[in-house]
Amino acid sequence: MKISSTLLPHQFIKRQVFLFLLICLFLGLPAPALAQSLSLSVWPPIIDVILQPGKSISQTYQLKNLGNDTIIITSIIPFKSTDEFGHIQLLPQQAPPQYFSLLDSFPLKTGQTQNVVLKITIPETAPLADHYLSLLFQANTKSLIKNSGSTITGSIASNILLTISQPNTINHTASIKQFSTNKFLDSLSPIPFTFRLQNTSDNHFKAIGQINIFNLFKQKIATISFREDNILAHSIRQLTTTSSSLNWNPLFPLGKYTATATITPQNSTNPISQTISFFVFPYKLLLALILFFLFIKLSKYIKIF
Amino acid sequence: MYQVITTLIFTIFLFISSTPVIAQTISTESSRFKFTNLNSASDIPSSNLSFPPPINPDQSLKAGFPYIKTAIPFIFTISELSIDFNTLTPNTPSIQTNKLTISNNIIGGYSIALFANQPLTMKNSSITIPDITPGIWKDNSIYGYGYSITNNHYFSPFPYDSPQIIISSNNLNSAETTQVTYKVNINNSQSIGDYENIINFIAAPIY
């Protein structure tokens, strides 16, 4: 080892002792108990497949590990709708149809992205039906419990909407279960609509449509487009917009309006529609003005007596 | 001579005034994910799956939500995977927490479900710590194991048979985080030992 020319021997020894102590300190310390975390990203979050018996199709999923090193276990589990907003309830007791093949498990290091190919093969004899399933990527990350406690694992799902059909057999039909707003609304508040659509057919579809709003003179003054949400077979979904609310936000509406909601089920040429009317009036403002004038009147009255 | 000078000046002016073409590399988190809705590995000839789809397509595969034009992934994060209560002491509740985060919730909704493989069970034994009865849990004389996702001390038992939704959202936030609180309390008659189980959280986007 070369001694620096600027250091005296006793200074050099002091430095070496200091470094030695520092190394001993580091080596003597127990390894820090780093918290293990799980973070997975998946794309696409959903696939919508229409396939004939005897055909097959594939989709590549991109799974990225943003957490600690882990082992991924894949599985496919049927789901059902839990509400009218598109949330799912997994049904692990139900066996999925044997149409799917993909990697069962694979290691995924921190920061690594894995392409996972899902192949869907429909047998010639498969019945024509819809299947709603989730592809689950379960991360089994090592975690340490010293005494008592729970080990946490996590899964991320990507949904599969599968329609098995023969050519020209899909016939999407729907009915409007509810299209409403309040009869009397305030000019200074957003106009909220509720629109619930029922899929009355055996196959899921995307709702494509809008609400057109007309003033007293039957002039179209606004259009609110529905988000193209999937509606499962024989289920109801409350439609919304891409901003997650079905509101009309005009500047200062006044008077009578009519709103016509029109929906064309996907792959259909038969639109369905419903019209409602409502009155918009600045009643909160008027109430405030009345209260204000009453207050002034009362103030004068109190002063006199 | 005059023409040469003029030409030179004009050429220099052109060089100065023209905007240089700079090669740009865009590498964001979302751009690394390519659209794959054209059946890249399909057995069906791509000509049968041309876009836009016909009025009554016999077969197709569409990936992602049609109302989201970029391929932004769905991300689920759990902050801590070891809910370690260390040594349990009778009549002294042990509490641990972790956080569940959903990122890039521009799809407009998700749900998180959970289920446990078993009650907290003593290692190499079938002795268990009972599940908590759903309700407010502040009293140290209440015994069991449960979880809470609220701030009002309302605890629930873990489901075992099938995943149960504990969080669902229709919001359009870039990220939503929920804290989960785990609480266990044993009485004096609980057998001494280490108890453990596995809890699985499942995050699913809306369909």
Side-chain angles (χ1 to χ4, degrees), chain A residues 34-52 55-64 66 68 79-93 113 117 119-121 134 136 138 141-159 161 165-170 206 227-232 235-237 241-244 266-269, chain B residues 29 32-45 48-49 53-88 98 100 102-103 106-111 113 115 120 123 129 145 158 160-165 167-172 182 193-207:
Chain A
L34 294 172
Q36 294 286 303
S37 68
L38 177 155
S39 187
L40 291 175
S41 109
V42 68
W43 199 90
I46 188 168
I47 60 168
D48 184 355
V49 186
I50 301 173
L51 209 53
Q52 292 173 30
K55 301 284 184 182
S56 67
I57 205 164
S58 297
Q59 171 65 41
T60 302
Y61 289 84
Q62 282 156 333
L63 185 74
K64 186 171 185 181
L66 305 164
N68 293 101
F79 75 78
K80 67 174 184 180
S81 177
T82 54
D83 54 24
E84 296 183 359
F85 301 99
H87 298 118
I88 68 164
Q89 171 71 55
L90 291 169
L91 305 168
Q93 289 86 1
T113 300
V117 178
K119 186 171 183 182
I120 307 171
T121 306
S134 280
L136 291 189
Q138 183 181 348
T141 308
K142 278 183 187 171
S143 60
L144 185 68
I145 302 292
K146 286 177 199 160
N147 301 107
S148 291
S150 295
T151 303
I152 306 295
T153 64
S155 305
I156 193 165
S158 176
N159 298 325
L161 308 181
S165 72
Q166 291 290 1
N168 302 315
T169 56
I170 297 175
K206 285 183 174 60
R227 196 171 70 184
E228 292 178 28
D229 284 330
N230 292 296
I231 307 173
L232 305 187
S235 76
I236 297 171
R237 185 145 185 189
T241 62
T242 49
S243 62
S244 274
Q266 191 187 18
N267 308 324
S268 166
T269 51
Chain B
E29 189 61 38
R32 288 192 201 114
F33 291 85
K34 295 185 294 182
F35 277 110
T36 51
N37 47 346
L38 288 177
N39 311 293
S40 55
S42 171
D43 288 355
I44 300 167
N48 291 348
L49 294 163
I55 286 295
N56 196 1
D58 297 329
Q59 50 197 45
S60 67
L61 189 155
K62 293 169 195 166
F65 292 95
Y67 50 89
I68 299 171
K69 302 302 177 195
T70 51
I72 293 179
F74 181 62
I75 303 174
F76 179 41
T77 303
I78 305 175
S79 66
E80 175 57 69
L81 302 178
S82 300
I83 301 301
D84 198 339
F85 297 116
N86 291 316
T87 304
L88 299 175
N98 65 356
L100 314 176
I102 296 289
S103 307
I106 64 159
I107 56 171
Y110 67 89
S111 59
F115 70 99
L120 273 179
K123 290 173 186 171
I129 293 173
Y145 185 35
F158 292 95
Y160 303 112
D161 298 330
S162 63
Q164 180 182 306
I165 292 175
I167 302 159
S168 63
S169 168
N170 299 314
N171 298 331
L172 270 177
Y182 308 81
D194 292 336
Y195 294 80
E196 59 187 10
N197 72 351
I198 299 169
I199 297 166
N200 190 12
F201 289 95
I202 303 168
I206 55 166
Y207 58 79

Side-chain angles (χ1 to χ4, degrees), chain A residues 60-186:
Chain A
T60 302
Y61 289 84
Q62 282 156 333
L63 185 74
K64 186 171 185 181
N65 183 4
L66 305 164
N68 293 101
D69 292 357
T70 191
I71 304 286
I72 299 292
I73 297 169
T74 61
S75 59
I76 289 180
I77 295 177
F79 75 78
K80 67 174 184 180
S81 177
T82 54
D83 54 24
E84 296 183 359
F85 301 99
H87 298 118
I88 68 164
Q89 171 71 55
L90 291 169
L91 305 168
Q93 289 86 1
Q94 283 186 19
Q98 301 298 307
Y99 305 153
F100 306 93
S101 59
L102 78 164
L103 264 178
D104 288 338
S105 68
F106 51 89
L108 199 61
K109 290 189 176 296
T110 304
Q112 188 185 347
T113 300
Q114 174 79 41
N115 286 341
V116 181
V117 178
L118 172 74
K119 186 171 183 182
I120 307 171
T121 306
I122 310 297
E124 291 280 2
T125 54
L128 305 184
D130 264 23
H131 298 277
Y132 309 127
L133 310 120
S134 280
L135 168 56
L136 291 189
F137 298 98
Q138 183 181 348
N140 286 318
T141 308
K142 278 183 187 171
S143 60
L144 185 68
I145 302 292
K146 286 177 199 160
N147 301 107
S148 291
S150 295
T151 303
I152 306 295
T153 64
S155 305
I156 193 165
S158 176
N159 298 325
I160 302 166
L161 308 181
L162 171 64
T163 295
I164 302 171
S165 72
Q166 291 290 1
N168 302 315
T169 56
I170 297 175
N171 180 27
H172 291 141
T173 54
S175 69
I176 297 169
K177 290 297 286 182
Q178 184 186 355
F179 176 40
S180 63
T181 187
N182 294 333
K183 196 72 184 167
F184 298 97
L185 294 145
D186 184 56

Side-chain angles (χ1 to χ4, degrees), chain A residues 183-195:
Chain A
K183 196 72 184 167
F184 298 97
L185 294 145
D186 184 56
S187 298
L188 299 175
S189 302
I191 314 292
F193 294 103
T194 301
F195 188 86

Side-chain angles (χ1 to χ4, degrees), chain A residues 174 176 179 195 197 210 259-264 270-275:
Chain A
I176 297 169
F179 176 40
F195 188 86
L197 189 71
Q210 70 284 322
T260 301
T262 307
I263 284 284
T264 307
N270 301 319
I272 51 172
S273 64
Q274 191 172 324
T275 299

